[in-house]
Amino acid sequence: MTQFGLIGLCGAITKQLGKLREYDTQYVNIMINGRPARAMVDTGAEANIITKTEATRLGLSYSPSNAQLKTVNAPPTPVCGVAHGVSITLGKWQGKTNFIVALLDLFDIIHRQEFFQ
């Protein structure tokens, strides 16, 4: 594919507004701390991330952190803290994972792909 063709392909990818459909595979229904949540799966994410508001809603406690989170095409974002050993249920699977608690603007919960492997 030529560079121009790639630019055209990228221009065709836009944010889809509207109601999420049942078959949207980039989102999963998950239980966090025994409460229902909806998470976006990000194949490029290096960590599981959750907003402070959603962490509070789900009853998560977290240790404060002075770290910063760097995302693509955005300035570094301060990290509020890290929630360790969070209980999660996805379908019949149960386990524990860590979440970085930070400010996000588009999603409340982002799971990295490795989480699902």
Side-chain angles (χ1 to χ4, degrees), residues 15-78:
K15 182 179 175 186
Q16 300 296 310
L17 300 176
K19 186 176 178 182
L20 295 174
R21 299 174 301 267
E22 286 291 321
Y23 55 86
D24 280 345
T25 58
Q26 65 202 37
Y27 298 91
V28 292
N29 292 320
I30 191 168
M31 298 291 282
I32 298 176
N33 232 15
R35 297 180 180 166
R38 191 156 175 90
M40 185 197 76
V41 178
D42 185 343
T43 58
E46 294 184 12
N48 298 313
I49 308 167
I50 191 167
T51 62
K52 188 174 180 179
T53 302
E54 192 69 357
T56 300
R57 183 186 76 80
L58 296 170
L60 302 184
S61 58
Y62 53 91
S63 304
S65 174
N66 292 327
Q68 291 192 333
L69 181 67
K70 178 65 175 126
T71 59
V72 176
N73 297 330
T77 302

